[in-house]
Amino acid sequence: MSLARAVRSRQLSPVELAEAYLRRVDRHDPQLNAFVWRNDEDVLRAAKEAERAVMSGDELPPFHGVPIPVKDLNSVAGQPNTYGSAGTSDAPSEETDLSVERLLDAGFLLMGRTNTPEMGPMSVTENRRYGVTHNPWDPRFSPGGSSGGAAAAVAAGLAPLAQASDGGGSIRMPSSACGLVGLKPSRGRVPMRVPAWEHSATDGAITRHVEDAAAVLDVMSTPDLLGWYHAPVPHRPFADEVGRDAGRLRIGLLLSAPTGVPVDEECVAAATSLARTLEGLGHEVTPVTPRFFSQEAAQAYIELVIPSALHLVSYERPELAEPYLQELRALALTRNIAEYARGMALLHRESREVVAQWGRDFDVLLTPTMACTPPPVGTVVQQKNADPTGFRLTETQMISFTFFANLTGLPAISLPVHRTAAGLPVGAQLVGGPFDEATLIRLAASVEPLYAWTTAVPDGLR
């Protein structure tokens, strides 16, 4: 928002802004591989048009002239959308996703496309078409996934914020790994033409500032009256929740992973740090042991929803897909619609019992964002290709605290409150009650001044 204000007040021109970020992409992205496609000429042309609008005194939208990259799972008319796959076409898309339309309406300049794992169901950002995206804090490690290209771009200062999406933690995991703010909206908050992954996935953004997370949610969440449903309209703009008193809340602290895997001490340290800070602000923080989904329900999502969703994208050459995706696509064809219907019914029933704990047992749930620190690049995908349907510890640790917010549709936010001894960021997560992004934004804004995340920049990238 600070850049948008500078543009509106003519302290900064959209052209200067676009040129500055494009120079940083030129300089730093060869080492990071955050971007997979660039449209520099289009960005500069749009920036010049934005500058003329500023000088003419026209009424300007809230993010007028601010550049933002789009994740390579989201479509923009005239841009390729390869879904990070070597087996798909790079022909220009014919339509623009609803969430991206809203970014354009808000005045953003679409600046390139960011890397993603093929088709999205992966917790790191590596694929055969574009290669590995590296963590700006230490290129030996992953920025997480699937919005790892988006997070790497923001953390490295290649973009002020980035469009992203989340189907099991894909906004929050990269935000944790890269030291950023990652807000996953509620189910139905951000419109999608076809709600992905049985209505568990959502579009959103990765930002450095809570104010930006709130303001971009405002513009992305304009209801789509043609869709089957949409989230309740908030009482006030989300941006107005920044600085508003959250009251005294009951915050449940969960340090053990719902999946039963071990939790790294650094991840525990992140959650306990935020717990102490919130206690210091007057909130009641109490250890809790919530009920989550049964193994049967979780397997329905993993073995039915995700494999089936992989058939919604057309492959030109499916034999070029990652081996784990080829196996998952084949798995979908061995299951029947009766199994799918039973699995979805079970998810719906159990979700009601999980969500009922918010407001009854606690107001907000506090957890580590991940159960492990960012893994080394080149490890997680290899493990999944070697055993696509088996148990993989690192991948399970990465999604252990995030996946249930997608299945229930609850809003959640990752905040960068801790660093390892080696300097890698580690996030803590707050999960709000149904459609209650407002409380998460109030809490996040209240702790932001007490941590140094808004000014933290990796060495060599200042």
Side-chain angles (χ1 to χ4, degrees):
M1 289 301 293
S2 61
L3 294 177
R5 287 190 287 266
V7 168
R8 285 197 298 273
S9 64
R10 304 184 184 181
Q11 299 174 44
L12 188 63
S13 105
V15 175
E16 292 172 336
L17 192 56
E19 289 177 338
Y21 280 109
L22 291 174
R23 283 195 299 270
R24 288 190 64 83
V25 176
D26 286 337
R27 180 179 178 185
H28 298 296
D29 197 48
Q31 293 78 43
L32 298 174
N33 195 35
F35 285 83
V36 299
W37 182 85
R38 294 179 62 176
N39 59 336
D40 295 17
E41 292 184 2
D42 293 338
V43 176
L44 293 173
R45 187 182 305 113
K48 290 175 183 176
E49 294 175 2
E51 185 173 72
R52 283 193 289 271
V54 172
M55 300 310 293
S56 69
D58 293 346
E59 184 175 350
L60 304 175
F63 284 97
H64 184 80
V66 177
I68 187 170
V70 173
K71 183 179 177 180
D72 197 42
L73 293 180
N74 288 86
S75 295
V76 179
Q79 295 184 7
N81 183 5
T82 65
Y83 298 88
S85 175
T88 58
S89 169
D90 62 357
S93 299
E94 295 182 357
E95 67 179 6
T96 300
D97 285 352
L98 298 180
S99 61
V100 180
E101 285 183 356
R102 282 150 175 74
L103 294 177
L104 288 168
D105 291 342
F108 281 107
L109 310 180
L110 303 187
M111 185 185 74
R113 301 181 65 80
T114 56
N115 204 12
T116 179
E118 185 175 355
M119 300 299 158
M122 171 55 64
S123 55
V124 297
T125 301
E126 305 171 17
N127 60 61
R128 292 182 168 187
R129 184 167 196 147
Y130 302 115
V132 174
T133 297
H134 299 268
N135 194 317
W137 291 94
D138 188 331
R140 297 173 299 174
F141 295 91
S142 173
S146 62
S147 305
V154 177
L158 312 187
L161 73 171
Q163 183 271 339
S165 59
D166 191 314
S170 291
I171 286 176
R172 291 159 288 157
M173 290 185 291
S175 296
S176 174
C178 292
L180 301 167
V181 174
L183 173 59
K184 183 203 84 71
S186 299
R187 175 177 289 131
R189 178 71 69 198
V190 178
M192 306 175 82
R193 282 192 173 84
V194 179
W197 294 9
E198 199 62 40
H199 305 251
S200 291
T202 179
D203 291 336
I206 292 176
T207 69
R208 190 179 298 275
H209 299 267
V210 174
E211 177 189 30
D212 291 341
V216 77
L217 181 58
D218 279 325
V219 302
M220 293 184 80
S221 61
T222 303
D224 169 31
L225 301 183
L226 302 181
W228 283 7
Y229 61 87
H230 58 80
V233 176
H235 295 299
R236 62 183 67 86
F238 291 116
D240 290 352
E241 303 295 351
V242 176
R244 189 176 289 270
D245 184 12
R248 189 171 190 266
L249 298 172
R250 298 170 302 149
I251 298 175
L253 175 62
L254 174 67
L255 299 177
S256 57
T259 57
V261 297
V263 182
D264 190 285
E265 292 181 359
E266 299 281 11
C267 302
V268 172
T272 54
S273 171
L274 184 54
R276 288 192 299 269
T277 299
L278 291 169
E279 279 186 321
L281 293 174
H283 302 289
E284 178 187 352
V285 180
T286 306
V288 293
T289 54
R291 175 253 165 94
F292 291 108
F293 291 90
S294 67
Q295 180 70 17
E296 183 183 1
Q299 288 302 115
Y301 188 69
I302 295 168
E303 296 180 2
L304 296 171
V305 173
I306 294 177
S308 299
L310 294 174
H311 286 271
L312 295 177
V313 177
S314 297
Y315 275 89
E316 284 190 338
R317 299 187 62 186
E319 74 276 8
L320 296 181
E322 291 279 1
Y324 72 87
L325 290 174
Q326 294 187 42
E327 183 155 342
L328 291 177
R329 282 167 56 87
L331 174 64
L333 300 178
T334 68
R335 311 301 288 268
N336 62 57
I337 56 176
E339 289 179 287
Y340 196 99
R342 287 194 295 268
M344 296 313 99
L346 181 61
L347 280 170
H348 277 276
R349 287 195 297 269
E350 291 194 9
S351 180
R352 298 179 67 86
E353 298 174 12
V354 174
V355 172
Q357 297 167 109
W358 274 259
R360 184 189 68 198
D361 303 335
F362 45 80
D363 301 313
V364 175
L365 183 65
L366 165 58
T367 76
T369 303
M370 299 193 293
C372 64
T373 57
V377 297
T379 58
V380 177
V381 173
Q382 285 77 352
Q383 292 167 4
K384 191 159 188 174
N385 278 333
D387 188 9
T389 58
F391 174 77
R392 297 168 303 280
L393 177 60
T394 303
E395 186 182 5
T396 303
Q397 286 179 307
M398 294 182 79
I399 66 170
S400 286
F401 290 105
T402 55
F403 78 95
F404 67 82
N406 295 87
L407 298 188
T408 57
L410 294 172
I413 190 169
S414 179
L415 300 176
V417 297
H418 182 67
R419 293 284 167 80
T420 69
L424 281 174
V426 181
Q429 175 183 235
L430 295 169
V431 183
F435 307 111
D436 193 12
E437 290 96 333
T439 293
L440 299 183
I441 291 167
R442 293 178 193 173
L443 287 174
S446 71
V447 303
E448 185 174 56
L450 306 178
Y451 293 92
W453 74 62
T454 60
T455 56
V457 180
D459 291 341
L461 293 171
R462 297 182 183 278

